[in-house]
Every structure is written in structure tokens, then in C-alpha cells.
Amino acid sequence: MKSTEVRFFYESVLGRRISDVQWWRVKKSFTQQGLALTTENLKWVGEFKKVLPHANLSHGILAAYTNTQKLIGSKELIQGEFLTELFNQQGVRIHPSTISRWFRPLGGFRKSKFYPADKLQPIILAALIYKAKLSSKQITRELAEKSK
């Protein structure tokens, strides 16, 4: 596919046009992490950006996506309680208001509710990226303290 065709596909997944700078950042994050600009990859990134439009794609999205695929496996429905246990096992500590905001497009979060796995993929991905971001901030803080 040509670059313009790939961009139009990504914009169709998002449901809106994006600026040249935004497209450049998407392409840059893909190449930095060794991810190909395929329609499948652009589709899940587009779905992810629909749920979390302000998420930064450069915070280890490839590793987080691979982990997400492993965690979900072949499940079709996932219960909210299983999801919270999954986050705890992965060491992801998320404030309840953040979870509520992430689940707003799915009608809110309930531990007893079952969610389609394909709709949870961007949320699990966001949680893993959130964890990576927090751990990088903690490492930076520790290095700053040691240098004093």
C-alpha cells in the first residue's frame, strides 16, 4: 500500500482527518518500535486512540500490545472481576476514577459485568502503557536522588 492509502485507512478507522504532524508521529512511533504499518496494526492503534485519544504511542506500545494479546488469549467475554485480578497480577495499580473514565465508552465498569474481549483490548493496552510510564518516572526519580 502507498503511504497515502495507509493514512486514509487510519483516518477511516479514527473516523476523522488527522494533521500531517499527527500522521508523522504515528509513523515515527511505529518505526521506533519496529512495528509495521499494516492495516491490522493501524486498526488496533486507531481503536486504541478512539478510547484514549490523548495517549502517547511512544511509551512501549509494541511490548504492551504483545502482552495484551497474551493476556486476552482466545477469550470472547471477560468479566470485570477477572480484569481487576489481571491488573493486580501485572502490578498495575489504577485509580478507580481512571478505570471509570476508560470504561465510559463501554457503559461504565462493574466487576460483575461481562465485556467483549475485542473492546477491552485498548483498555488493557492503556493499563500496561500506564504502568510502563509510571515505572519510567520512578526510575528517573531514583536516578535524580542518587546523583544528589
Side-chain angles (χ1 to χ4, degrees):
M1 274 182 137
K2 292 181 182 179
S3 180
T4 55
E5 292 173 352
V6 174
R7 179 177 175 172
F8 287 137
F9 176 79
Y10 181 68
E11 289 174 340
S12 70
V13 170
L14 283 177
R16 61 180 172 82
R17 296 270 303 155
I18 59 171
S19 68
D20 291 339
V21 172
Q22 209 172 358
W23 176 242
W24 178 81
R25 286 183 183 139
V26 169
K27 284 183 9 182
K28 181 181 173 189
S29 66
F30 269 73
T31 55
Q32 282 180 340
Q33 297 174 47
L35 194 60
L37 279 171
T38 63
T39 54
E40 182 181 317
N41 291 342
L42 286 169
K43 183 176 180 180
W44 67 260
V45 169
E47 293 295 327
F48 172 72
K49 290 297 273 184
K50 277 186 193 176
V51 175
L52 297 167
H54 301 291
N56 189 344
L57 295 177
S58 64
H59 288 291
I61 195 168
L62 178 59
Y65 178 68
T66 307
N67 287 341
T68 302
Q69 295 294 49
K70 289 178 188 174
L71 294 174
I72 290 177
S74 62
K75 295 179 177 70
E76 290 184 24
L77 292 174
I78 296 177
Q79 189 174 14
E81 187 173 6
F82 174 79
L83 195 61
T84 56
E85 290 172 13
L86 189 68
F87 288 157
N88 288 335
Q89 289 172 358
Q90 295 295 315
V92 181
R93 306 284 183 255
I94 305 169
H95 194 274
S97 66
T98 303
I99 290 177
S100 176
R101 187 176 65 248
W102 287 352
F103 275 84
R104 193 172 298 140
L106 300 177
F109 178 75
R110 298 281 179 262
K111 285 186 177 183
S112 60
K113 189 174 178 181
F114 284 88
Y115 300 96
D118 60 330
K119 299 290 183 187
L120 288 178
Q121 195 171 9
I123 294 171
I124 296 171
L125 185 60
L128 295 173
I129 291 171
Y130 178 78
K131 176 188 172 188
K133 229 164 79 169
L134 289 180
S135 65
S136 69
K137 283 182 182 179
Q138 183 180 2
I139 290 169
T140 304
R141 241 184 269 129
E142 290 173 1
L143 289 174
E145 289 176 5
K146 285 182 182 180
S147 66
K148 287 182 181 181

